[in-house]
Amino acid sequence: MPGILVVASALEGTLGRSALELVGGARTLAGPLGSKVSAALVGSGKALAGGPETLHRHGVETVYRCDQQALTAGQSDAALAAVDAVVKAAQPDVVLVGADTVGREVAPRLAYRLMAALATEVMSLAAEGQTILVRRQVYGGRAIATLAITSRPAVISVKPRTLDAPEPAPVPGRVEDVAVSIDPAALPTRVKEVQSQKAEVGLDDAQVVVGGGRGVGGPDGFKLLAQLAASLGGAVGSSRPPADEGWVPITWQIGQTGKSIRPNLYIAVGISGAAQHVAGVSGSRTIVAINKDPEAPIFSLAHLGLVGDYKQIVPALIERINAAKGA
Amino acid sequence: MNTIVCLKQVVDPELPQWDFAIDPATKRQVRTGKPLVISTYDENALELALQLKDKAGGKVTALTIGPAGEVKDAIRLALAMGADEAVVVDDATAPVLLGADKAAILAAAVKRIGTYDLVLTGCESADWVERSVAPFLAEALGAACVTFVTKLDPGQGSVTARRTSEEGFHVIEARLPAVMSVTSDESIRPRLPKVKDIMGAMRKPVQNWVRSDVAAEAVSSPVEVREVSVPQRTTKCEFLDGEPAQQAQALIEKLQSLKLI
Amino acid sequence: MYTKVDFALADEHRVVQAAAADFAAREIAPLAAELDHSGAFPRELIRKAADAGLLGMTVPEAYGGAGLDAVSYVVAQEELARASAGVQTIITVNNSLVCDPIVHFGSEAQRKRYLPALASGRSLGCYCLTEPSSGSDAMSLRTGARLEGESWILNGTKAFVTNAVEADVCLVYARSGPEPGAKGVSAFIVEKSFPGVRVGKVEKKLGIKCSSTAEIILENARVPKENVLGEIGQGGRIALGTLDGGRLGIAAQAVGIARASLDASRAYARERRQFGRVIGEFQAVQWMLADMATRIEAARLLMYRAAWLRSQDRPHAREASMAKLFASETAMWASHKAVQIHGGYGYIQEYPAERYFRDAKITEIYEGTSEVQRIIIGRSVVGPRS
């Protein structure tokens, strides 16, 4: 029976959320393709704990486990070696990889080793007979390309936070430990340092996000936006120019090279609405735009628009929100 | 430290929305008559290569695939910025080739160039945004691979790179030869080509090869581009007018009614 | 008989154009409005322009210049002027009115001494021809020069000198002999640091505000004999030859201003909505844009041809005059229409249209007024006096 292998990464110390998104995507394809879903659980020691159970609970019958000391944060070479070993054991037709920092290096390299068909950064998965159809953003988010994959094996990397996590669908499962020897000293790269600049409320999970653009004018303006975000229990992000200018850390950047987010509420302040940024937020349920320029492209994306100076509007908002909370 | 920088020419991504159109025949952006520029992050890669040369010496080679007539200006600019030499693989089909095909040709061209320590390219192309060329190239060349790099420090037979991650950054030490892709950073501002270096640039060596000069080997299996479409926006923006205080009040009420706050 | 006519810019010209446009967009454009409001000399920006090779574009590489031809020069100057006419004024004067005459008429010693500094931006040049009582009638100038031992002693006042405040090197025309008119005039390379040289009244202008315009006052200024440019009595010829190149620089400035006016008008016409549609769809506006575009193309072609002739070392006085005349009148017309298209916003300083309008006016005046250009062209059309 053909198989879809999901790469469930535990490199960061625990099973990442992308694993479940991929399982959801795999399950969408499994029915139409007549395939079984399995997972490659890669990590080291304690990071793997609970992983198989979580995967079984969401419908993955076979978990191929790879436990190696070298499988830690940022170690793409080790991850590639581990996934390669699992692929040899599982012989899947399709491999799904999350396009995170490591995944986006692993996917093409795995495709090379397998001479597989490759599609990267996809936002949706569907099947048409035995053809896999994927959609991905191109031209800075201005257009959507639909790719059709007929050959096997196929390696597909999925853009984080674009697929929904699946509903639980417990199945009795088994774990197969895959033997592979990864000598850290023999790897071409060595991870010397891993630095996290985690914000208080993560941009990835926040239900409310306030984003600032070039119109914010400088780092001070972002302090005001942070206050607004805090009053709404949300996170702050930015379009590319503030990150490029150094007004905000690069991890705040939303958009093509930055993150994609899908909060319930996205408030864009001083953001013109260039395609690249829009691509990162277009999945938001409600978009509010605050901008001095009534002709700014962001207003053709936003649901609610406020034309004016954010330096006057945002304090007024913060005041009213805090008043309503106090009441 | 000898560096090869892979550059791709794309239709200017800053073109206004009304000037953006997909050609149904090629399933790519309409290119005829549009201004062409070096892909954004490829420029960053070139700048980083030049910064490395300023620091540690060595040679910078600009490599591109494209219709020779089209890429001429991009190559001259790269040479005027400081690249020492250029290689052009003349291929009229280049504008429609996907990352895998590009990587195959680039790998063959790099092998033919021969001596290098580092191959740099942009983390993603401004048009197709696949992020696949650098990893494919690394495999095809048997080189180390680090993507989304913002800083580089040469070492002995190795290079230490700072890679952007979702939470922050990683510091990676990579053995040479290595293939790295470069992203944006405050410290990477592509230098302006000096008008005074343009005459000199016209005299720097440019090798012109054709596709058949490089024996490209496939790096993956082909994928079909079914369709490229421009999504139509259907949202109609509701404007909340008045003084800032009134706007704020109206917004709060609207969001409350939508149960968003 | 077939004539090969090629309207395409050569590789070298296109690359120079791209580099100049890049520089203008990145370095000049963000400062343009502020420089106009403050009128402050953009010292740091001029240093960067010098670094990029923009201050000595046609100076041979042997003397530290970029070694480019006249077509590259006008193509680049047009891009710079599009971003800021004021900044480009500073740059074009250095190139056309100071570097050029030293290249063409200077001795080897003078070239070696002054060109590297002028091309690299270590020195800035200015051109001292006009006086309070001699403008269009340039050769009626009264600044005197008399030989005293190993030095020439200069006395007089030069007016409307661009870059006067910041310049280190002044190209000064003075009457060195008893012959009336041009024959009695000589050109001198005068360093600001020579005794007796000082800056006089600094003028406030309608436009091109960030370039300084002031008097240069010579009071028994002591100029070494070696600093005579060319021969004694050759001043008239040098002035004439220099103005050909200078007019090309101003033609480029005018084309740049006109293009900026068109670009701003087009963008505004695409965004501004009245009566339910963008105003760019109304015939009245469209026709203004059509006329702007047509005149700009014509001005550019005149400019390219004159520059091409110059690059081929062919006579080009008439063509340079035509280019300057037509381009400057185009700039005035186009910037005027730009203000009109912008409506009320065309009068407001937050929008660039009014700056283009104010900057354009000088192009019809300096380096030979439009009236003087018509005299030159007219004489060339009618032919020699009978």
Side-chain angles (χ1 to χ4, degrees):
Chain A
M1 160 165 304
I4 304 175
L5 179 71
V6 161
V7 174
S9 165
L11 258 54
E12 300 280 326
T14 184
L15 188 66
R17 51 177 286 163
S18 76
L20 289 182
E21 290 171 9
L22 296 176
V23 169
R27 275 163 54 181
T28 323
L29 289 177
L33 292 180
S35 302
K36 275 175 89 102
V37 179
S38 60
L41 178 63
V42 298
S44 173
K46 284 203 288 244
L48 301 163
E53 290 76 16
T54 308
L55 290 163
H56 295 321
R57 199 165 53 244
H58 287 86
V60 179
E61 221 179 271
T62 310
V63 173
Y64 296 90
R65 183 169 51 197
C66 214
D67 184 350
Q68 286 286 295
Q69 257 196 337
L71 289 167
T72 48
Q75 219 340 316
S76 305
D77 294 314
L80 177 63
V83 173
D84 203 8
V86 171
V87 164
K88 284 188 172 60
Q91 298 286 310
D93 300 287
V94 181
V95 182
L96 296 185
V97 183
D100 57 17
T101 312
V102 165
R104 57 194 179 195
E105 292 181 3
V106 167
R109 296 174 67 185
L110 182 67
Y112 180 87
R113 293 184 185 193
L114 303 177
M115 200 45 68
L118 174 73
T120 56
E121 309 282 333
V122 311
M123 299 182 322
S124 74
L125 296 161
E128 193 187 73
Q130 284 297 304
T131 302
I132 301 173
L133 293 175
V134 299
R135 283 154 48 98
R136 53 190 308 283
Q137 285 175 329
V138 290
Y139 299 112
R142 294 202 228 224
I144 308 272
T146 305
L147 307 179
I149 306 172
T150 44
S151 62
R152 300 287 188 273
V155 174
I156 302 173
S157 80
V158 180
K159 207 168 161 71
R161 289 171 296 283
T162 47
L163 295 184
D164 292 316
E167 293 298 314
V171 293
R174 55 178 262 272
V175 177
E176 189 178 310
D177 283 291
V178 174
V180 63
S181 174
I182 304 175
D183 175 11
L187 296 173
T189 60
R190 190 163 73 88
V191 181
K192 288 171 78 172
E193 198 185 325
V194 172
Q195 271 282 8
S196 290
Q197 293 157 345
K198 270 201 169 299
E200 267 176 20
V201 182
L203 205 50
D204 306 336
D205 306 295
Q207 287 309 303
V208 177
V209 174
V210 178
R214 192 184 283 284
V216 172
D220 291 330
F222 275 92
K223 295 201 181 91
L224 189 59
L225 299 191
Q227 281 177 32
L228 176 61
S231 71
L232 292 167
V236 197
S238 79
S239 61
R240 190 179 154 187
D244 273 357
E245 296 284 339
W247 298 346
V248 302
I250 197 137
T251 44
W252 285 26
Q253 189 186 320
I254 304 160
Q256 277 284 264
T257 32
K259 303 171 179 343
S260 252
I261 54 170
R262 291 195 306 165
N264 279 334
L265 173 62
Y266 179 64
I267 304 179
V269 180
I271 290 177
S272 66
Q276 289 85 344
H277 179 68
V278 158
V281 305
S282 56
S284 313
R285 251 188 62 202
T286 303
I287 298 177
V288 176
I290 302 175
N291 197 300
K292 266 206 295 203
D293 176 12
E295 310 286 341
I298 191 84
F299 287 120
S300 48
L301 176 73
H303 302 97
L304 295 167
L306 282 69
V307 178
D309 185 354
Y310 84 91
K311 291 203 199 79
Q312 297 189 301
I313 298 176
V314 172
L317 273 175
I318 297 173
E319 204 190 296
R320 274 161 186 71
I321 293 166
N322 289 335
K325 286 204 294 205
Chain B
M1 177 86 47
N2 293 329
T3 309
I4 300 176
V5 181
C6 300
L7 305 172
K8 173 178 170 179
Q9 245 197 348
V10 298
V11 176
D12 190 351
E14 303 289 317
L15 272 192
Q17 187 64 31
W18 55 263
D19 208 1
F20 176 83
I22 301 292
D23 178 356
T26 58
K27 295 184 193 143
R28 304 288 185 275
Q29 183 178 10
V30 169
R31 204 171 159 97
T32 327
K34 305 279 181 240
L36 300 175
V37 298
I38 299 176
S39 179
T40 324
Y41 298 104
D42 292 348
E43 255 196 322
N44 289 5
L46 178 58
E47 173 58 30
L48 198 54
L50 293 170
Q51 285 180 12
L52 206 56
K53 176 180 156 187
D54 290 340
K55 232 181 353 197
K59 191 168 66 160
V60 173
T61 306
L63 170 62
T64 191
I65 308 167
E70 265 185 20
V71 300
K72 249 192 312 181
D73 289 351
I75 287 297
R76 290 294 166 210
L77 273 173
L79 293 171
M81 280 167 73
D84 299 289
E85 58 180 30
V87 173
V88 175
V89 178
D90 184 3
D91 185 343
T93 69
V96 302
L97 294 179
L98 295 185
D101 297 311
K102 292 269 173 67
I105 302 170
L106 289 171
V110 168
K111 282 184 188 154
R112 190 172 163 193
I113 291 172
T115 40
Y116 63 94
D117 300 297
L118 199 57
V119 179
L120 295 183
T121 187
C123 57
E124 62 196 44
S125 68
D127 54 7
W128 215 250
V129 199
E130 290 170 274
R131 305 177 169 177
S132 66
V133 167
F136 271 139
L137 256 184
E139 287 293 305
L141 297 173
C145 173
V146 187
T147 59
F148 285 80
V149 167
T150 52
K151 290 192 197 325
L152 279 179
D153 261 307
Q156 288 289 73
S158 71
V159 136
T160 302
R162 183 189 274 223
R163 172 175 67 194
T164 306
S165 72
E166 290 169 318
E167 275 96 47
F169 63 88
H170 302 153
V171 178
I172 311 282
E173 188 186 329
R175 230 186 281 148
L176 294 176
V179 175
M180 301 199 181
S181 73
V182 180
T183 185
S184 58
D185 188 65
E186 314 171 81
S187 64
I188 310 176
R189 287 201 174 285
R191 57 197 64 183
L192 288 169
K194 295 189 179 171
V195 149
K196 78 173 179 209
D197 291 332
I198 294 197
M199 283 315 282
M202 309 291 290
R203 291 189 290 261
K204 287 180 180 171
V206 177
Q207 296 196 68
N208 289 292
W209 299 343
V210 293
R211 185 84 181 252
S212 51
D213 287 335
V214 293
E217 287 163 28
V219 299
S220 67
S221 290
V223 158
E224 176 207 339
V225 177
R226 214 24 113 68
E227 180 194 18
V228 178
S229 61
V230 180
Q232 295 307 315
R233 302 235 171 269
T234 49
T235 42
K236 189 84 171 66
C237 185
E238 185 186 336
F239 283 96
L240 305 174
D241 297 316
E243 293 298 310
Q246 294 168 290
Q247 289 175 304
Q249 185 63 31
L251 181 62
I252 301 289
E253 283 168 12
K254 200 75 195 179
L255 294 178
Q256 280 171 333
S257 76
L258 290 169
K259 301 234 196 325
L260 285 168
I261 55 169
Chain C
M1 198 179 88
Y2 295 96
T3 317
K4 184 171 181 302
V5 180
D6 190 345
F7 286 97
L9 289 176
D11 285 358
E12 166 198 322
H13 302 145
R14 272 204 319 277
V15 180
V16 170
Q17 184 182 48
D22 255 348
F23 184 86
R26 241 207 271 181
E27 302 289 349
I28 304 180
L31 304 177
E34 181 49 38
L35 286 172
D36 177 63
H37 292 151
S38 69
F41 182 80
R43 191 161 302 278
E44 182 57 22
L45 177 56
I46 294 300
R47 194 195 55 76
K48 284 183 186 167
D51 241 4
L54 293 165
L55 285 246
M57 288 186 71
T58 54
V59 171
E61 283 178 280
Y63 302 108
L68 299 165
D69 69 8
V71 178
S72 288
Y73 177 62
V74 298
V75 141
Q77 294 300 309
E78 182 194 320
E79 295 300 326
L80 301 179
R82 198 155 76 92
S84 163
V87 171
Q88 188 262 352
T89 305
I90 300 168
I91 294 174
T92 198
V93 163
N94 199 68
N95 272 287
S96 291
L97 301 184
V98 189
C99 287
D100 255 4
I102 297 178
V103 168
H104 289 121
F105 299 101
S107 65
E108 188 57 24
Q110 287 167 340
R111 290 188 192 138
K112 283 209 174 94
R113 189 178 153 81
Y114 291 107
L115 292 177
L118 287 166
S120 68
R122 279 198 311 280
S123 297
L124 190 65
C126 68
Y127 191 71
C128 306
L129 175 63
T130 299
E131 295 178 2
S133 51
S134 61
S136 294
D137 191 4
M139 291 297 129
S140 69
L141 62 87
R142 298 204 231 155
T143 296
R146 68 170 194 282
L147 187 59
E148 221 178 68
E150 296 300 300
S151 310
W152 284 87
I153 308 299
L154 270 54
N155 274 287
T157 302
K158 292 298 184 182
F160 296 149
V161 179
T162 301
N163 294 348
V165 175
E166 299 81 15
D168 311 281
V169 178
C170 318
L171 192 57
V172 177
Y173 292 86
R175 190 162 298 286
S176 53
E179 305 88 340
K183 290 205 170 63
V185 172
S186 303
F188 298 87
I189 304 175
V190 178
E191 293 177 37
K192 258 298 189 60
S193 57
F194 288 165
V197 182
R198 66 182 173 90
V199 177
K201 176 160 176 284
V202 179
E203 309 287 0
K204 289 198 172 65
K205 308 187 293 293
L206 175 64
I208 55 167
K209 295 195 181 190
C210 63
S211 88
S212 67
T213 306
E215 292 175 332
I216 292 281
I217 298 175
L218 305 142
E219 273 167 336
N220 292 319
R222 192 164 284 274
V223 178
K225 252 178 32 192
E226 305 77 63
N227 278 35
V228 172
L229 183 66
E231 307 288 326
I232 287 296
Q234 210 183 20
R237 195 153 87 73
I238 294 175
L240 222 58
T242 301
L243 281 171
D244 284 348
R247 279 162 193 164
L248 279 177
I250 302 308
Q253 180 177 63
V255 173
I257 296 171
R259 263 183 70 204
S261 302
L262 175 59
D263 290 342
S265 304
R266 179 208 286 118
Y268 188 79
R270 287 195 71 94
E271 282 175 14
R272 174 75 175 171
R273 300 190 88 92
Q274 287 289 274
F275 307 111
R277 50 172 64 160
V278 291
I279 64 172
E281 289 174 23
F282 293 125
Q283 193 172 74
V285 174
Q286 236 177 58
W287 283 16
M288 283 187 218
L289 294 172
D291 284 335
M292 264 196 231
T294 307
R295 292 181 197 203
I296 291 170
E297 271 308 297
R300 266 181 133 187
L301 287 169
L302 273 173
M303 178 182 78
Y304 285 166
R305 178 161 147 76
W308 179 80
L309 286 167
R310 185 178 174 86
S311 74
Q312 304 294 303
D313 283 321
R314 285 162 62 167
H316 54 283
R318 173 165 113 155
E319 289 76 9
S321 271
M322 286 175 156
K324 197 260 187 191
L325 172 64
F326 192 81
S328 57
E329 294 190 342
T330 298
M332 256 330 277
W333 189 89
S335 58
H336 177 209
K337 287 305 176 197
V339 172
Q340 193 67 16
I341 289 172
H342 280 72
Y345 291 106
Y347 211 68
I348 307 291
Q349 291 197 326
E350 229 183 281
Y351 286 75
E354 61 85 31
R355 181 176 94 237
Y356 300 149
F357 187 42
R358 286 184 288 105
D359 284 345
K361 187 59 205 163
I362 192 63
T363 63
E364 290 188 306
I365 298 172
Y366 63 5
E367 303 222 21
T369 60
S370 297
E371 291 68 35
V372 166
Q373 305 306 331
R374 287 190 159 90
I375 291 174
I376 295 171
I377 299 165
R379 281 193 191 142
S380 140
V381 168
V382 168
R385 266 186 254 243
S386 58

